[in-house]
Amino acid sequence: MAALIALSSLPAFKNEPYTDFSVPENRGAMEHALDTVRRQFGREYPLLIAGERMETGDTLISRNPSRPEEIVGIHHKANAGLARLAVEQAYKNFPAWRDTPAEDRLSMLLSAAALLRQRKLEFDAWLVFEAGKTWPEAEAETAEAIDFCEYYARQMLRFRETDAEVQMPGERDRIRYVPLGVGVVIPPWNFALAILAGMTTAALVTGNTVVLKPSSETPTIAAKFAELLLEAGFPPFSFSLLVGSGAEVGDVIVEHPKTRFVSFTGSRDVGLRINELAAKPRKGQLWIKRVIAEMGGKDAIIVDREADLDKAVAGVVQSAFGYQGQKCSACSRAIVDEAIYDDFLARLGERVREIKVGPADEPDSYMGPVISEKAKKNILDYIETGSEEGRVLCGADSAPTEGGYFIQPTVIADVERNACVFREEIFGPVLAVTKARDFDEALELANDSEYGLTGAVYTNNPEKVRKARDQFFVGNLYINRKCTGAMVGAHPFGGFNMSGTDSKAGGPDYLLQFLQAKSIAEKVD
């Protein structure tokens, strides 16, 4: 086990700084990391169930979306029987992990953060190759994973046993926070390291055992993080890594009567299905399962007539086309005051046409590939529909790049509120632009969605800022800045409505979702 870190000298949390790739030494170090990781392509990865490595012979092949002929990793897949075994082993091992002192668990998490920091560029490289992230997007994600580890370790200090706020005469009244039990963690492919790390470590540091089922698009990154957890001192019995399809093993681990909670990030439809499956009690189940879900968005940026137009255009472009629009927080709707609408479109089109699309490992690519051939086809289908619902300002086709799953950044103007591209989550580099009569109608249009994750407003009018704070119904609202890039500790993340359970990842309340409070009153007279 890694040496335990002295908690008495633990400094206050601060966000991990980003590596500046314009510095020649940093650029060279990243190129070296890419070469190092590329030499590991094609390796086989076994399942990991409570410390036992298992090979099934039934494999999943992970490919580089920039160059699909490149095999990033070969992963043995679990079946239903192994899925049940993983939950049962987690249930068996829960008491030992629950009874491990919280100080030891959080010290292991700090060790994991230190290892991630040492291997930052290596994990950046895995994100580039398996998730199709450009250098800056990969760097931001690895930094966020470090932040989650550092932040949740410190937050765990708050949830040690404490005296109750009110002490009754003749009593000693205390509150103890108790871990829930077996947790199923199902992260997405679009933040294959950061969200996976945040969900997994939050469950582990609070004393729960974990069955981690990563996305089938990005299992190699999950396997690398599992290796890091073991090196950081987390005992093999505390978690399992279970690669497999949602249809074959996902339902099994969600429905298992020994599963206590499910932590999920992904699509609306899958999240609703998980919620439905978890709500039905199974034979032998003693609890109501808890579901922590973050399920996507159809996020809007309002550009008011009193905005700084250049800053608004820059924020919309960054929010819409960073990581190819494959973020639940991405701006997919720009709602623009009619007084500046034409000027905004002219400046927006000019900026978008300058975007360079290319392989994610090339440092000058602003946009890389979308995650898969299936995703590319789905996005192009939406673009075709959108071209009939509005006016294509730019894009609307595959990018002229050889090999991978590349799509041009696409802007569709003059979109009405009943249009498909206004209402449905596309999860790709497609921006719908809609005209509003005034700020009040812009707010109405922004709120006209079943989702409520992120949103932004660009205006220099303080009264309109106040109105947005009161009336823009989203979990994360940003004023005069982009609607992506939530920072751990500063912007607790989670949304309203069909965007999920508003879990507020990276915030002071997040760990409470993995704990239950036990009130203890003891007579002392």
Side-chain angles (χ1 to χ4, degrees):
M1 180 182 294
L4 299 182
I5 295 171
L7 302 180
S8 59
S9 60
L10 193 61
F13 170 79
K14 63 179 181 179
N15 298 106
E16 181 71 15
Y18 295 163
T19 302
D20 182 355
F21 292 119
S22 68
V23 176
E25 293 84 356
N26 294 340
R27 187 183 181 105
M30 182 60 180
E31 289 170 344
H32 176 73
L34 290 166
D35 289 340
T36 299
V37 164
R38 189 180 276 110
R39 288 195 292 271
Q40 299 179 54
F41 279 9
R43 173 183 161 186
E44 285 196 22
Y45 296 87
L47 298 167
L48 185 63
I49 299 180
E52 185 176 354
R53 300 181 186 277
M54 300 183 181
E55 297 183 355
T56 63
D58 182 16
T59 57
L60 179 155
I61 296 177
S62 172
R63 298 182 181 275
N64 176 1
S66 291
R67 300 179 182 86
E69 71 277 6
E70 294 182 348
I71 296 175
V72 177
I74 301 169
H75 297 262
H76 289 265
K77 294 194 296 182
N79 53 32
L82 291 175
R84 285 189 287 270
L85 176 64
V87 175
E88 289 155 7
Q89 287 293 310
Y91 183 77
K92 174 185 174 183
N93 293 320
F94 170 61
W97 185 236
R98 174 197 63 201
D99 296 339
T100 300
E103 290 81 2
D104 291 358
R105 297 195 303 262
L106 69 89
S107 187
M108 295 171 199
L109 187 47
L110 292 170
S111 294
L115 289 171
L116 264 178
R117 191 174 291 111
Q118 292 170 18
R119 301 173 193 168
K120 196 180 191 188
L121 297 184
E122 177 188 339
F123 274 93
D124 285 359
W126 284 113
L127 287 163
V128 166
F129 285 129
E130 190 170 47
K133 295 218 161 181
T134 58
W135 290 23
E137 292 284 347
E139 170 66 15
E141 178 168 352
T142 305
E144 185 178 19
I146 296 169
D147 283 351
F148 278 133
C149 294
E150 294 278 1
Y151 184 79
Y152 292 151
R154 287 163 173 79
Q155 287 297 309
M156 190 59 210
L157 292 170
R158 298 174 51 221
F159 298 110
R160 294 177 292 182
E161 185 171 310
T162 184
D163 286 345
E165 185 176 348
V166 175
Q167 294 292 311
M168 297 301 294
E171 290 183 359
R172 172 79 188 280
D173 299 306
R174 288 167 287 178
I175 297 174
R176 176 178 295 173
Y177 292 94
V178 181
L180 298 175
V182 177
V184 166
V185 172
I186 306 175
W189 52 260
N190 66 325
F191 283 86
L193 178 61
I195 292 180
L196 178 147
M199 296 164 72
T200 302
T201 60
L204 286 172
V205 78
T206 46
N208 304 283
T209 48
V210 167
V211 178
L212 169 61
K213 196 205 86 63
S215 168
S216 295
E217 302 287 2
T218 51
T220 313
I221 294 163
K224 293 297 179 181
F225 186 71
E227 292 171 2
L228 182 141
L229 287 178
L230 294 173
E231 187 175 346
F234 285 90
F237 66 75
S238 64
F239 71 94
S240 293
L241 178 65
L242 198 74
V243 173
S245 72
E248 188 166 6
V249 303
D251 289 0
V252 172
I253 56 179
V254 168
E255 292 179 305
H256 199 290
K258 295 296 191 289
T259 294
R260 180 61 178 84
F261 67 91
V262 182
S263 184
F264 167 80
T265 299
S267 72
R268 168 192 177 277
D269 290 347
V270 175
L272 290 177
R273 174 171 171 77
I274 286 172
N275 197 59
E276 182 179 2
L277 292 175
K280 183 178 180 180
R282 311 291 165 174
K283 185 178 179 180
Q285 182 177 322
L286 302 178
W287 41 68
I288 300 171
K289 292 178 184 176
R290 190 175 292 183
V291 175
I292 306 142
E294 196 271 279
M295 302 180 343
K298 188 66 179 175
D299 310 301
I301 292 181
I302 294 173
V303 183
D304 178 52
R305 66 182 65 189
E306 297 178 90
D308 182 316
L309 208 50
D310 287 332
K311 290 181 180 178
V313 168
V316 168
V317 169
Q318 291 168 1
S319 300
F321 302 114
Y323 190 40
Q324 299 78 266
Q326 298 176 124
K327 302 179 183 181
C328 54
S329 58
C331 173
S332 58
R333 298 181 295 156
I335 300 170
V336 184
D337 192 302
E338 64 181 9
I340 56 166
Y341 184 79
D342 291 339
D343 192 5
F344 174 84
L345 284 180
R347 300 189 198 196
L348 178 70
E350 183 178 345
R351 286 290 296 269
V352 173
R353 292 184 191 98
E354 293 173 349
I355 290 176
K356 176 173 171 40
V357 181
D361 57 303
E362 295 181 0
D364 60 342
S365 293
Y366 184 89
M367 274 177 47
V370 298
I371 192 64
S372 66
E373 181 66 37
K374 180 180 178 182
K376 179 178 178 180
K377 182 181 183 305
N378 183 62
I379 295 163
L380 290 175
D381 286 346
Y382 269 113
I383 290 173
E384 183 177 355
T385 299
S387 66
E388 298 171 356
E389 296 177 324
R391 171 170 57 96
V392 174
L393 186 69
C394 51
D397 204 350
S398 299
T401 303
E402 292 295 325
Y405 310 128
F406 300 101
I407 297 177
Q408 293 176 339
T410 298
V411 177
I412 301 172
D414 307 340
V415 173
E416 299 295 332
R417 69 194 304 165
N418 61 347
C420 177
V421 293
F422 184 90
R423 311 202 70 82
E424 297 183 18
E425 185 177 32
I426 299 172
F427 226 67
V430 183
L431 173 68
V433 186
T434 299
K435 184 185 299 184
R437 290 188 306 273
D438 52 28
F439 191 75
D440 287 341
E441 188 186 35
L443 274 175
E444 179 191 340
L445 289 166
N447 286 327
D448 187 12
S449 172
E450 66 178 353
Y451 297 102
L453 186 53
T454 75
V457 172
Y458 280 87
T459 183
N460 292 320
N461 184 315
E463 178 57 26
K464 291 175 180 176
V465 169
R466 183 202 62 76
K467 185 174 286 190
R469 288 175 180 154
D470 292 343
Q471 298 180 22
F472 200 159
F473 195 68
V474 291
N476 286 69
L477 177 63
Y478 302 100
I479 308 297
N480 290 321
R481 56 147 284 176
K482 63 179 183 172
C483 67
T484 56
M487 298 298 291
V488 172
H491 315 124
F493 191 79
F496 303 159
N497 297 346
M498 286 294 175
S499 288
T501 57
D502 195 30
S503 59
K504 288 297 180 276
D509 303 324
Y510 187 66
L511 292 190
L512 284 171
Q513 293 169 103
F514 305 88
L515 297 163
Q516 51 193 354
K518 183 176 185 178
S519 175
I520 303 170
E522 180 182 358
K523 269 290 190 184
V524 294
D525 60 351

